[in-house]
Amino acid sequence: MKFITNGLIIKEQSIGEKDKLITALTGSHGVVKGFAHGAKDIKSSKCAATGLLAYSRLTLHTGKESYIIGDARAIKIFSGLRDSVEAMYLGQYFCELAAALCPREQKAEDQLRLILNALFLLSEKKRDPLTVKACVELRLMCLLGYMPDLTMCRECGAYEKDGMRLLPRTGSLVCRDCYSAHELEDLKIDLTPAVLTALRHCCYADSEKLFSFKLPEKDLRLLNFCSEEYMKFILERQFKTLKYIKDLI
Ligand SMILES: [Zn+2]
């Protein structure tokens, strides 16, 4: 059986001297693996189209254990990512997240669109890398079914109050008064009003408006700390590319 789909190459492995095994995030089939015969030959049209972070039109044939890539044509190469080490690592981090978390053999259109938009903004230098990172982390968690409950203090129902805190173990909010009055989770992150608004925006805003906010650097770092801690507790795992990014930005 054969089908044609568009996908972002999220992993690239060499097989022998000429071939590659690639993993792609597609809108129609989620994460797929495919052998690309002859794709290491720089004269092959498949070479650039099967490189990491290429967005390509892929012709996939059903194989025994993975697909066979009959043809691959690049649609978009995010070449601007190469201008900055941090943008390149962030791109690789999004690939690692997608490979680990996105569904296989199921539609993943929203996840693919999220990561393509993020790569475009990074490649064109239209957004701060820390803004893009927090948006992708939080929105991806929401798309995967782990949306935090940021509507109100979970104890008294206050929407806005001084001293709101994020409880990253459960992805919930609590105000200062309720935190002191109850025996709550040991780990809490004190939020500024701007960071609370940004957290809500990252989770609840329409996808077209997702990346369109600005925060001062101090708040942006706090927003990133919130998204990282929330992911760490919910997913119970760490990502190796995140370590490199944290050394850089
Ligand atoms: Zn409260």
Side-chain angles (χ1 to χ4, degrees):
M1 207 182 84
K2 167 182 125 169
F3 63 94
I4 297 173
T5 188
N6 294 345
L8 176 71
I9 310 301
I10 55 175
K11 195 169 177 187
E12 178 189 18
Q13 294 162 271
S14 279
I15 305 288
E17 286 183 12
K18 295 179 181 165
D19 307 330
K20 285 187 201 174
L21 174 64
I22 59 125
T23 308
L25 175 62
T26 68
S28 59
H29 290 71
V31 176
V32 296
K33 279 189 176 192
F35 273 103
H37 295 295
K40 282 173 74 180
D41 181 351
I42 53 167
K43 284 182 245 156
S44 161
S45 65
K46 283 188 213 165
C47 182
T50 55
L52 189 69
L53 291 165
Y55 178 55
S56 303
R57 190 155 186 79
L58 306 169
T59 305
L60 299 172
H61 301 263
T62 310
K64 275 186 188 163
E65 289 176 6
S66 65
Y67 292 104
I68 310 292
I69 297 180
D71 191 28
R73 304 273 159 176
I75 298 168
K76 174 95 184 146
I77 304 278
F78 298 96
S79 50
L81 296 175
R82 296 187 201 125
D83 299 341
S84 138
V85 182
E86 62 191 38
M88 203 62 216
Y89 273 129
L90 263 184
Q92 290 178 20
Y93 172 51
F94 298 156
C95 290
E96 194 185 351
L97 290 179
L101 304 174
C102 289
R104 279 149 220 276
E105 300 299 332
Q106 286 176 42
K107 280 185 191 293
E109 283 158 1
D110 292 339
Q111 292 95 326
L112 176 62
R113 193 176 313 119
L114 171 69
I115 295 177
L116 289 175
N117 286 343
L119 294 176
F120 172 77
L121 293 170
L122 282 175
S123 178
E124 301 291 319
K125 302 160 193 67
K126 287 182 184 285
R127 290 288 183 284
D128 184 294
L130 282 172
T131 306
V132 176
K133 175 176 162 293
C135 286
V136 169
E137 289 173 335
L138 286 163
R139 185 53 67 102
L140 193 57
M141 292 297 284
C142 294
L143 292 173
L144 295 168
Y146 303 113
M147 184 182 283
D149 182 3
L150 305 174
T151 49
M152 60 180 102
C153 167
R154 73 181 203 186
E155 301 294 319
C156 72
Y159 178 75
E160 265 178 350
K161 209 168 165 182
D162 285 344
M164 292 290 255
R165 286 136 188 219
L166 175 71
L167 303 177
R169 284 186 207 281
T170 48
S172 54
L173 288 178
V174 70
C175 71
R176 182 165 35 204
D177 298 340
C178 293
Y179 188 83
S180 316
H182 299 266
E183 289 282 315
L184 287 171
E185 296 169 37
D186 52 341
L187 187 73
K188 45 109 178 142
I189 304 173
D190 292 333
L191 303 173
T192 63
V195 171
L196 176 55
T197 302
L199 277 170
R200 285 174 170 152
H201 178 91
C202 288
C203 295
Y204 305 144
D206 291 343
S207 56
E208 311 86 69
K209 295 181 186 151
L210 174 63
F211 297 93
S212 57
F213 66 92
K214 282 195 172 165
L215 277 181
E217 187 178 338
K218 196 170 166 217
D219 281 338
L220 208 43
R221 290 192 179 277
L222 179 58
L223 178 68
N224 273 266
F225 181 62
C226 291
S227 58
E228 283 171 22
E229 289 295 298
Y230 177 58
M231 284 179 70
K232 194 167 84 184
F233 285 111
I234 298 297
L235 301 174
E236 296 182 325
R237 60 167 290 172
Q238 309 242 27
F239 295 91
K240 72 174 189 288
T241 39
L242 180 60
K243 184 181 173 304
Y244 299 119
I245 293 162
K246 285 164 74 72
D247 290 340
L248 285 168
I249 56 180

